[in-house]
Amino acid sequence: MSEANTDTEMPEESTADFEIRTNLYRAALGLFVLLAVVAVVQLYTSANASINTFVARTYRPLFRMALNLVVLLVSAIGISWTVRELSEG
């Protein structure tokens, strides 16, 4: 007769523990996203202030356009990656 070896099996995590852990990860993700948004806004504001300080008045619109284009491209890449990851799952 063979006995089931229950000593070496890992106990399964209960559903309640899994939900708590998932909710904690979601809360942490929300906090990190909020921190990232604040940092991006401050970086954008500082970049505009730097343009005002170091770039001649004539060329400021061109530099602001380039900055906005970079922000737009990074946002588009991030949105595309996120949608792709969500649609695969």
Side-chain angles (χ1 to χ4, degrees):
M1 289 190 191
S2 66
E3 294 181 24
N5 190 359
T6 56
D7 294 336
T8 59
E9 293 178 9
M10 295 286 243
E12 290 189 25
E13 191 173 23
S14 71
T15 305
D17 290 341
F18 180 74
E19 288 179 11
I20 290 171
R21 178 175 284 165
T22 301
N23 289 335
L24 285 174
Y25 281 132
R26 286 181 181 164
L29 177 62
L31 177 65
F32 290 134
V33 167
L34 179 64
L35 289 173
V37 167
V38 169
V40 165
V41 168
Q42 289 182 349
L43 176 68
Y44 188 79
T45 304
S46 295
N48 271 325
S50 296
I51 288 172
N52 283 337
T53 302
F54 296 112
V55 177
R57 185 173 300 244
T58 309
Y59 300 110
R60 286 180 190 166
L62 294 174
F63 277 84
R64 285 195 182 113
M65 181 186 65
L67 175 65
N68 289 332
L69 180 63
V70 168
V71 170
L72 180 64
L73 290 174
V74 168
S75 298
I77 290 169
I79 290 169
S80 174
W81 177 76
T82 304
V83 168
R84 191 175 312 126
E85 288 294 320
L86 289 174
S87 65
E88 287 178 1

